[in-house]
Amino acid sequence: MKNIKIYSIIILIIMTSIVIIKTQASKTINLDSSSISEYNNKEVAIYQENDSGSYDLVSTLPSKSNGYIINKSKTVCSNKAKIRWDNNTWSATISNFSVQNTKCYLYFDKTSTPKITIKATSNGSSIAFPSKTSGYIPNSISCDYGVKASFDYENWNVEVDVIKDTVCTVDFKSNINQSFATYLTSSIVCSSTPTSDDAAKNCLVNESGYRYEGINPNNYVLFNNELWRIIGVFNINNSAGTAQNLVKIIRDKNLEDLAFDSGNNNDWSNSSLKKQLNEGFYSRSTQNCNIQSTITKPCNFENKGLNTTAQNMVEEVKWNIGKYSNIEVKTSDMYNFEIASNGPGKVGLMSASDYGYSVLNSSCDRETKLTDYAKTTCAGNSWLYQDGYQRIINSNSNNETNSAYIHNGGHINDDDSTEGYGVRPVVYLKSTVKVLGGAGTSNLPYIITN
């Protein structure tokens, strides 16, 4: 088998551009501008799309930077020869090119930037695209042909996954400007117990607090200039002992894989993880983090930690940190263990009961033990479950070393507190935090302000 390479090389020989084609035998075929060059009755031709949509025979490969792309359906060879195009190196390899009278044709199309039209509406009527300070907030985005789009709140524009000419319509509503907790519990609570993920997508279920349940509810919120998700609204004491209804949110993505405690002690109040989250992550400062008891690394919370705006939204509360005496229990029993004891802090973790209640009762019987959750049943229908091990705030009262985590397989388990598992920070928002608008979707999350 012989291979030839086509390179985009311009050589000035008597002012003529020449394409150099090399074979494995180091023989050279020149393809100049006057004709299709032949070598032992074998031909290679390059065609380039012109402004009218037809193709012109050219002597050199068109430049990638000039807006051309290979047309793979038209690029063919005869006699079972094959062209393999490499877009990164902008070259082609032709195999089986040894047969007489073999002809290969490379076609290049012009690329064009799709035309994107953005329209704005409010209450069904067209409006001029509002400014960031106009008092409007995006409520929905829809584009023709199923094109995906999201709203960039920081730059106040629409980001479109361009695939073709499209028209996107952004519907705006006046700012809600209402207490976030009040808005959720007064406007978003399910009128009846939902029995399907679709029914639970846009409402909170009243179950030991108001919670989002199901496989993918609309509970996204823009916090710290990134996506977080709402676990629910809970009546909890702040650091002064005053009970308030507060919104509890969790970072959408894993922060780091960290140990519960470097000294293998399962007391959350004195754990190294609590310190790293409350002193490093909260204050946006670099800390030495523990992956395991003997392995440390610097955690660059200067980039990942909470910014000043986010810090001012976080309430210091008394977290439910009661230990379990038996891990093989159903969610309601685990919840009762948790509320038996509390400790102060600004940043924590989700609890085992948060995880247990994050799946609908219709998808996971509430009598199911947390240790029996699995990908194919309960865990697979929970929005809090992610493929990977996740730290939770719970720990075992029967010993001083074991703390709990969500296993990759979906069930709750416990192990030495020195083991490094995924950490997704959790905070409670102050009662003064207001919601301006949004739909709770990943492309239109709730927008909040203090």
Side-chain angles (χ1 to χ4, degrees), residues 123 184 216 236 258 395:
N123 296 320
L184 291 174
N216 190 28
I236 192 164
L258 301 173
S395 54

Side-chain angles (χ1 to χ4, degrees), residues 136-204:
Y136 283 95
I137 206 81
N139 181 63
S140 66
I141 299 179
S142 60
C143 299
D144 294 343
Y145 313 114
V147 171
K148 294 181 179 180
S150 60
F151 200 88
D152 181 349
Y153 291 90
E154 185 174 358
N155 297 305
W156 200 252
N157 58 32
V158 180
E159 294 184 345
V160 182
D161 292 341
V162 181
I163 56 175
K164 59 175 69 176
D165 291 356
T166 190
V167 176
C168 294
T169 301
V170 185
D171 184 62
F172 289 87
K173 285 188 175 182
S174 299
N175 288 348
I176 298 171
N177 202 29
Q178 182 181 6
S179 160
F180 197 18
T182 301
Y183 171 76
L184 291 174
T185 54
S186 63
S187 305
I188 309 296
V189 175
C190 302
S191 58
S192 59
T193 302
T195 57
S196 69
D197 288 307
D198 284 342
K201 203 169 185 66
N202 293 299
C203 64
L204 290 157

Side-chain angles (χ1 to χ4, degrees), residues 69-81:
I69 189 170
I70 191 79
N71 185 323
K72 291 185 178 180
S73 62
K74 288 181 177 292
T75 297
V76 295
C77 291
S78 62
N79 294 330
K80 297 184 178 181

